Amino acid sequence: PSPLVRTRLVSREPLGVALPIDHPLADAPDVDLADLADDGFITTPAAAGSGLQEAALRACVDAGFRPRVVQEITDPYMILTLVAAGVGVALMSAEVAAIMPSGAVYRPLRGAPTYLSGAIAWSADNPSAVLKAVLAVADEVLPPVE
């Protein structure tokens, strides 16, 4: 929080897990994250400052373990491709369920959800007409999330 920066939440998606289709939990309706403690995880690099990486780490720690990261990659679809290839599992937001590559499945996590949030941020003291126009468009196409 900063008095110089304004933000508005525009998305809030629960995390689930992408699994290779031959994973023992691939046919389960949902997955207890603690059951993945011994699996290798594919994630975005910590240095990239990804909200996904932070949310995934928080979820694993809350489940009682630190994930063993076997691969880091910045492209979310490539993460799913590596999951499909059997490299490991990945915590991803629910929106990826619609774009899973063949060879992988998405399953929701059991228990209290961990969310991946998306927001827009802008300088509070920016008088730009362009900023005002962008915020007006954002109000129309990105309704606030509660």
Side-chain angles (χ1 to χ4, degrees):
S2 167
L4 302 177
V5 177
R6 299 277 188 262
T7 61
R8 192 180 65 165
L9 189 63
V10 296
S11 69
R12 189 168 185 248
E13 292 280 334
L15 287 184
V17 63
L19 301 166
I21 58 170
D22 61 353
H23 190 280
L25 298 173
D27 291 329
D30 55 18
V31 173
D32 186 334
L33 185 52
D35 291 340
L36 301 174
D38 294 330
D39 284 76
F41 281 75
I42 304 163
T43 187
T44 54
S50 168
L52 175 59
Q53 193 271 348
E54 292 173 20
L57 178 60
R58 183 176 64 249
C60 291
V61 169
D62 288 349
F65 70 97
R66 288 190 63 82
R68 181 175 54 87
V69 176
V70 295
Q71 182 71 48
E72 293 181 327
I73 191 161
T74 56
D75 182 331
Y77 194 77
M78 283 305 300
I79 290 174
L80 298 176
T81 301
L82 291 173
V83 168
V87 174
V89 302
L91 295 182
M92 303 293 286
S93 64
E95 65 189 4
V96 304
I99 62 165
M100 294 300 292
S102 62
V105 295
Y106 177 86
R107 296 292 178 253
L109 293 175
R110 198 174 305 140
T114 297
Y115 292 97
L116 179 62
S117 299
I120 57 174
W122 63 95
S123 173
D125 61 357
N126 183 342
S128 168
V130 173
L131 174 60
K132 288 179 182 158
V134 167
L135 292 174
V137 170
D139 285 343
E140 286 182 38
V141 299
L142 299 169
V145 175
E146 311 235 353

